[in-house]
Amino acid sequence: MGNSLKAILAFVPSNKCQKYLLEDLEEMPVDKMVDLSGRQMRRLPVHICSFRELVKLYLSDNNLNHLPPELEQLQNLQILALDFNNFKALPLVVCTLKQLCILYLGNNKLCSLPLELRLLQNLKTLWIESNCLQYLPEVVCELSLLKTLHAGSNALRSLPPQLQCLQELRTIWLSGNLLSEFPPVLLDMPFLEVIDVDRNSIRFFPSLAHLPGLKLVIYDHNPCRNAPKVAKGVRRVGRWSEETPEPRKRSGAVIEITLDEKPLLPPAAKTEPE
């Protein structure tokens, strides 16, 4: 009954209803964090925007599809979680929060990202998994400090060559897309440490042995004919990963060799800025 009541009150703009949704949150918490996840909210209570020293704002798992312009007042915000909502477009007010380090946009209905995203030059982690992206927006390639990119479970068929400009990028998660070939741009990114192309449609893997920073490559669940060659000490997760790059053959039949352990997935817990 409580959740149903909150869902109804989310439509009501009165101060009493807003106070109920905030559960008497009248002053900014000492830890400078507000977590309003899972409240069935359809709009953000504007009162939150008065907490100008706020550092972390979690709005995950609601019914939001827009944000108030007053959000621009939160110029100290470093973490903003908007995942599991109903955003079809990223509200431009988010792009005014120039201290953001981590932005969660996963599990929405985004088909693109605005050019204004380039203003977030402090962004280090971007989650855009489980959206409706058919291409990786080139504006992502302008986030010069980006270290981690989660772009799995979209409809990506390729990556833009500009991605190699992200020289701080260390991990890229591309599981569950529509890649039919290993993205060539990743071959020109020697600083990458983790590459995840699990659950795509890649039939052949080029050698990755020349990537000195690589520590882990996940390529399982692809219709591949070979395993990617990697340098000594690099962990592979996929078919023939503990074998030579080519599968063993016996009497013309290919013997598939799989690992018992499951592929390493992106961490579910929300991380803190480094």
Side-chain angles (χ1 to χ4, degrees), residues 59-216:
L59 302 174
S60 307
D61 194 20
N62 281 293
N63 294 307
L64 300 172
N65 57 29
H66 70 281
L67 294 172
E70 290 85 354
L71 190 72
E72 185 177 4
Q73 300 175 29
L74 302 182
Q75 286 300 312
N76 291 299
L77 206 62
Q78 296 181 25
I79 300 177
L80 177 60
L82 299 175
D83 46 332
F84 292 94
N85 277 285
N86 292 318
F87 291 103
K88 294 183 179 180
L90 179 64
L92 292 183
V93 66
V94 172
C95 301
T96 67
L97 306 174
K98 297 182 180 180
Q99 296 304 313
L100 279 182
C101 296
I102 302 177
L103 179 58
Y104 297 97
L105 299 175
N107 290 273
N108 279 285
K109 301 174 182 178
L110 301 174
C111 294
S112 63
L113 294 173
L115 292 177
E116 288 80 359
L117 189 72
R118 62 166 63 108
L119 299 175
L120 302 182
Q121 284 300 307
N122 284 307
L123 206 62
K124 294 182 179 180
T125 299
L126 178 61
W127 293 64
I128 51 175
E129 79 285 0
S130 299
N131 276 287
C132 304
L133 298 170
Q134 296 185 15
Y135 62 92
L136 184 68
E138 292 184 7
V139 67
V140 172
C141 304
E142 299 184 43
L143 303 173
S144 60
L145 295 184
L146 198 65
K147 295 183 65 176
T148 301
L149 176 60
H150 294 265
S153 300
N154 280 286
L156 304 181
R157 296 181 181 275
S158 63
L159 298 179
Q162 297 90 331
L163 193 69
Q164 65 180 304
C165 296
L166 297 182
Q167 297 192 13
E168 296 298 319
L169 194 65
R170 296 296 179 266
T171 61
I172 184 166
W173 306 89
L174 300 166
S175 175
N177 277 287
L178 301 176
L179 301 172
S180 60
E181 66 172 348
F182 186 83
V185 65
L186 300 184
L187 300 175
D188 297 322
M189 301 178 70
F191 34 80
L192 283 176
E193 297 179 358
V194 177
I195 299 174
D196 175 17
V197 288
D198 183 32
R199 301 184 186 279
N200 278 276
S201 300
I202 301 173
R203 294 186 174 276
F204 177 79
F205 281 93
S207 174
L208 306 179
H210 66 289
L211 300 179
L214 194 61
K215 297 178 180 178
L216 170 65

Side-chain angles (χ1 to χ4, degrees), residues 35-55:
D35 188 350
L36 295 176
S37 300
R39 304 294 182 91
Q40 301 188 37
M41 295 187 304
R42 295 180 182 273
R43 65 187 186 89
L44 175 66
V46 177
H47 178 61
I48 292 297
C49 301
S50 66
F51 300 160
R52 301 197 176 199
E53 299 301 315
L54 201 64
V55 173

